[in-house]
Amino acid sequence: MGKSIAFLSLGTNLGNKVANILGAIKLIQGRIGNVISLSDFIITDPWGFESENRFMNAVISISTDFSPLELLKLTQQIERELGRTSKSVNGEYHDRVIDIDILLYDDIRINTPELTVPHPFMQQREFVMKPLRQCRERCC
């Protein structure tokens, strides 16, 4: 498989938010693929749940040799290493040290129990769409 372009959403609302996102980017760069572009960091209110902790969000584009499912497994491993203890299930969201979502992967569509690409809720989330637009402008 040749190089593919993926866009990943990064979010955090616990601890040192800048360090959490930069730490995730460093691990992604080292293990998954070259980071091509990075959006600005934005601060937003929680989406889908109540919390006193605001989020910091960003989007990166990467060039990778990994398949979408391999990419999912690697990003989930990075989340765990950075302190994420559980993923959101059945629309039940909670505070988190880091969240890495695959937004886009080349121009392909995937709809499996493990992974849906494009991300099914990205159009509903301005905290994803704004940095995604910025990242795409800087990317390719």
Side-chain angles (χ1 to χ4, degrees), residues 8 27-28 31-32 64 66-81 87 100-102 105 112-115 117:
L8 307 178
L27 291 173
I28 290 165
R31 297 181 190 173
I32 298 174
T64 186
F66 291 104
S67 73
L69 285 175
E70 291 170 329
L71 177 60
L72 176 65
K73 289 182 176 126
L74 289 164
T75 57
Q76 289 177 339
Q77 180 181 348
I78 289 170
E79 286 177 332
R80 286 189 299 275
E81 284 180 35
K87 289 293 278 184
I100 305 169
D101 288 332
I102 301 169
Y105 187 99
T112 68
E114 300 86 20
L115 179 63
V117 175

Side-chain angles (χ1 to χ4, degrees), residues 9-29:
S9 174
L10 308 171
T12 176
N13 76 330
L14 294 174
N16 184 331
K17 297 170 190 173
V18 172
N20 294 344
I21 289 179
L22 292 177
I25 291 170
K26 183 177 180 183
L27 291 173
I28 290 165
Q29 173 83 28

Side-chain angles (χ1 to χ4, degrees), residues 13-132:
N13 76 330
L14 294 174
N16 184 331
K17 297 170 190 173
V18 172
N20 294 344
I21 289 179
L22 292 177
I25 291 170
K26 183 177 180 183
L27 291 173
I28 290 165
Q29 173 83 28
R31 297 181 190 173
I32 298 174
N34 187 48
V35 174
I36 301 167
S37 64
L38 167 65
S39 72
D40 293 342
F41 293 2
I42 62 171
I43 304 296
T44 61
D45 291 326
W47 185 93
F49 73 106
E50 297 290 323
S51 176
E52 295 178 2
N53 303 311
R54 297 190 80 205
F55 273 83
M56 179 174 284
N57 296 284
V59 171
I60 61 172
S61 62
I62 62 169
S63 173
T64 186
D65 291 321
F66 291 104
S67 73
L69 285 175
E70 291 170 329
L71 177 60
L72 176 65
K73 289 182 176 126
L74 289 164
T75 57
Q76 289 177 339
Q77 180 181 348
I78 289 170
E79 286 177 332
R80 286 189 299 275
E81 284 180 35
L82 293 176
R84 179 119 190 226
T85 55
S86 63
K87 289 293 278 184
S88 302
V89 178
N90 297 325
E92 192 171 308
Y93 300 100
H94 48 80
D95 292 324
R96 46 201 165 275
V97 172
I98 194 69
D99 184 33
I100 305 169
D101 288 332
I102 301 169
L103 302 176
L104 301 167
Y105 187 99
D106 287 338
D107 292 326
I108 65 172
R109 294 187 171 279
I110 301 167
N111 193 352
T112 68
E114 300 86 20
L115 179 63
T116 303
V117 175
H119 191 285
F121 302 118
M122 71 183 201
Q123 296 285 343
Q124 302 168 20
R125 300 172 174 175
E126 187 59 21
F127 66 86
V128 170
M129 295 307 294
K130 182 178 179 180
L132 176 59

